Amino acid sequence: MKRPTLFLTVGLPCTGKTTAARRIETERQALRLTKDEWVKALYGPENPAPATDVIEGRLIAIGLRALELGTNVVIDFGLWSRDERSALRRAAADVGATVEMRYFELAPAEQRRRLDRRQAEAPDTTWPMSDEELAEWAALFETPTQGELDGSEPVGDPPAGFATWDAWRGHRWPPSVL
Protein backbone atom coordinates (compact mmCIF):
# COMPACT_ATOMS: atom_id res chain seq x y z
CA MET A 1 0.00 0.00 0.00
CA LYS A 2 1.27 3.47 -0.88
CA ARG A 3 2.17 5.72 2.04
CA PRO A 4 -0.18 8.67 2.49
CA THR A 5 1.12 12.21 2.09
CA LEU A 6 0.66 15.23 4.32
CA PHE A 7 0.72 18.39 2.22
CA LEU A 8 1.61 21.56 4.11
CA THR A 9 0.73 24.93 2.60
CA VAL A 10 3.06 27.59 3.93
CA GLY A 11 2.69 31.32 3.42
CA LEU A 12 1.10 34.58 4.45
CA PRO A 13 -2.54 35.51 3.72
CA CYS A 14 -3.60 35.80 0.07
CA THR A 15 -0.52 34.13 -1.38
CA GLY A 16 -2.38 31.23 -3.00
CA LYS A 17 -2.49 28.56 -0.32
CA THR A 18 -6.20 27.78 -0.53
CA THR A 19 -6.22 27.74 -4.31
CA ALA A 20 -3.34 25.26 -4.24
CA ALA A 21 -4.98 23.22 -1.45
CA ARG A 22 -8.13 22.86 -3.54
CA ARG A 23 -6.03 21.66 -6.47
CA ILE A 24 -4.17 19.16 -4.26
CA GLU A 25 -7.49 17.98 -2.81
CA THR A 26 -8.71 17.06 -6.30
CA GLU A 27 -5.51 15.90 -7.96
CA ARG A 28 -4.17 13.88 -5.04
CA GLN A 29 -7.47 12.82 -3.48
CA ALA A 30 -6.60 14.56 -0.24
CA LEU A 31 -8.72 15.58 2.69
CA ARG A 32 -8.48 19.40 2.68
CA LEU A 33 -8.47 21.00 6.13
CA THR A 34 -8.89 24.76 5.85
CA LYS A 35 -8.96 26.60 9.16
CA ASP A 36 -10.50 29.81 7.83
CA GLU A 37 -13.62 27.99 6.62
CA TRP A 38 -14.23 26.66 10.14
CA VAL A 39 -13.48 29.95 11.90
CA LYS A 40 -15.81 31.80 9.51
CA ALA A 41 -18.58 29.22 9.99
CA LEU A 42 -18.32 29.37 13.77
CA TYR A 43 -17.45 33.03 14.43
CA GLY A 44 -18.53 34.99 11.35
CA PRO A 45 -16.81 38.38 11.34
CA GLU A 46 -14.71 37.59 14.41
CA ASN A 47 -11.34 35.82 14.28
CA PRO A 48 -10.54 35.04 17.94
CA ALA A 49 -6.95 33.84 18.32
CA PRO A 50 -7.62 31.30 21.12
CA ALA A 51 -10.42 29.66 19.12
CA THR A 52 -8.32 29.72 15.97
CA ASP A 53 -5.53 27.81 17.72
CA VAL A 54 -7.98 25.21 19.03
CA ILE A 55 -9.60 24.79 15.61
CA GLU A 56 -6.17 24.33 14.02
CA GLY A 57 -5.34 21.69 16.63
CA ARG A 58 -8.59 19.82 16.05
CA LEU A 59 -8.07 19.85 12.29
CA ILE A 60 -4.51 18.60 12.74
CA ALA A 61 -5.78 15.72 14.91
CA ILE A 62 -8.32 14.82 12.21
CA GLY A 63 -5.60 15.05 9.58
CA LEU A 64 -3.25 12.77 11.50
CA ARG A 65 -6.00 10.20 11.95
CA ALA A 66 -6.80 10.35 8.23
CA LEU A 67 -3.11 9.77 7.47
CA GLU A 68 -3.15 6.72 9.77
CA LEU A 69 -6.08 5.42 7.73
CA GLY A 70 -4.14 5.88 4.49
CA THR A 71 -5.75 9.10 3.24
CA ASN A 72 -3.73 12.01 1.86
CA VAL A 73 -4.25 15.27 3.77
CA VAL A 74 -3.64 18.91 2.91
CA ILE A 75 -3.30 21.37 5.80
CA ASP A 76 -4.36 24.78 4.54
CA PHE A 77 -2.94 27.08 7.24
CA GLY A 78 -0.10 29.56 7.00
CA LEU A 79 2.29 27.57 9.21
CA TRP A 80 4.39 30.67 9.73
CA SER A 81 6.91 29.17 12.16
CA ARG A 82 9.54 26.54 11.62
CA ASP A 83 8.43 24.90 14.89
CA GLU A 84 4.89 24.43 13.54
CA ARG A 85 6.22 22.87 10.37
CA SER A 86 8.70 20.70 12.28
CA ALA A 87 6.01 19.44 14.65
CA LEU A 88 3.81 18.45 11.71
CA ARG A 89 6.68 16.85 9.81
CA ARG A 90 7.49 14.75 12.90
CA ALA A 91 3.83 13.83 13.49
CA ALA A 92 3.43 12.73 9.87
CA ALA A 93 6.56 10.59 10.09
CA ASP A 94 5.27 9.05 13.32
CA VAL A 95 2.13 7.81 11.53
CA GLY A 96 4.07 6.57 8.50
CA ALA A 97 3.23 9.42 6.11
CA THR A 98 5.42 11.42 3.80
CA VAL A 99 5.37 15.23 3.73
CA GLU A 100 5.26 17.63 0.82
CA MET A 101 5.64 21.27 1.74
CA ARG A 102 4.42 23.98 -0.62
CA TYR A 103 5.65 27.51 0.00
CA PHE A 104 3.83 30.55 -1.39
CA GLU A 105 5.19 34.07 -1.42
CA LEU A 106 4.20 37.28 -3.13
CA ALA A 107 5.35 40.85 -3.27
CA PRO A 108 3.39 42.91 -0.72
CA ALA A 109 1.67 44.94 -3.45
CA GLU A 110 0.31 41.78 -5.13
CA GLN A 111 -0.72 40.36 -1.77
CA ARG A 112 -2.66 43.58 -1.05
CA ARG A 113 -4.29 43.48 -4.50
CA ARG A 114 -5.42 39.88 -3.97
CA LEU A 115 -6.75 40.66 -0.50
CA ASP A 116 -8.70 43.66 -1.80
CA ARG A 117 -10.14 41.54 -4.62
CA ARG A 118 -11.12 38.77 -2.22
CA GLN A 119 -12.69 41.29 0.15
CA ALA A 120 -14.73 42.76 -2.73
CA GLU A 121 -15.75 39.47 -4.38
CA ALA A 122 -16.12 37.09 -1.42
CA PRO A 123 -16.09 39.01 1.87
CA ASP A 124 -17.58 36.01 3.67
CA THR A 125 -14.34 34.07 3.11
CA THR A 126 -11.90 36.49 4.74
CA TRP A 127 -11.40 39.26 7.26
CA PRO A 128 -10.26 42.82 6.71
CA MET A 129 -6.47 43.12 7.04
CA SER A 130 -4.59 46.39 7.23
CA ASP A 131 -1.26 47.09 5.58
CA GLU A 132 0.18 47.37 9.09
CA GLU A 133 -1.07 43.89 10.00
CA LEU A 134 0.32 42.42 6.79
CA ALA A 135 3.71 44.02 7.47
CA GLU A 136 3.67 42.81 11.09
CA TRP A 137 2.84 39.26 10.01
CA ALA A 138 5.53 39.32 7.31
CA ALA A 139 8.07 40.26 10.00
CA LEU A 140 6.96 37.28 12.13
CA PHE A 141 7.01 34.79 9.26
CA GLU A 142 9.90 32.32 9.17
CA THR A 143 10.66 31.47 5.55
CA PRO A 144 11.19 27.74 5.09
CA THR A 145 14.67 26.59 4.22
CA GLN A 146 15.35 24.61 1.07
CA GLY A 147 16.00 21.60 3.31
CA GLU A 148 12.55 21.94 4.87
CA LEU A 149 10.96 22.24 1.45
CA ASP A 150 12.67 19.23 -0.10
CA GLY A 151 12.65 17.15 3.10
CA SER A 152 16.43 16.77 3.25
CA GLU A 153 16.81 18.70 6.51
CA PRO A 154 16.13 16.67 9.66
CA VAL A 155 13.39 17.90 11.97
CA GLY A 156 15.65 18.15 15.00
CA ASP A 157 14.70 18.44 18.65
CA PRO A 158 11.64 20.26 19.97
CA PRO A 159 12.05 23.71 21.52
CA ALA A 160 13.49 24.03 25.02
CA GLY A 161 11.03 23.04 27.70
CA PHE A 162 9.36 20.31 25.63
CA ALA A 163 10.47 16.69 25.77
CA THR A 164 8.74 15.79 22.49
CA TRP A 165 7.21 17.41 19.45
CA ASP A 166 3.85 15.94 20.55
CA ALA A 167 4.12 17.89 23.81
CA TRP A 168 4.96 21.07 21.88
CA ARG A 169 1.99 20.49 19.54
CA GLY A 170 -0.33 20.16 22.54
CA HIS A 171 0.95 23.50 23.83
CA ARG A 172 0.80 25.31 20.48
CA TRP A 173 -2.59 23.90 19.52
CA PRO A 174 -4.45 23.48 22.83
CA PRO A 175 -7.42 21.10 23.09
CA SER A 176 -9.83 23.78 24.30
CA VAL A 177 -10.17 27.53 24.75
CA LEU A 178 -10.39 27.18 28.54
Side-chain angles (χ1 to χ4, degrees), residues 53-54 57-58 170-171 173-178:
D53 293 345
V54 171
R58 295 293 177 160
H171 173 78
W173 293 295
S176 71
V177 291
L178 302 176

Side-chain angles (χ1 to χ4, degrees), residues 2 29 157:
K2 186 177 171 198
Q29 299 178 341
D157 294 330

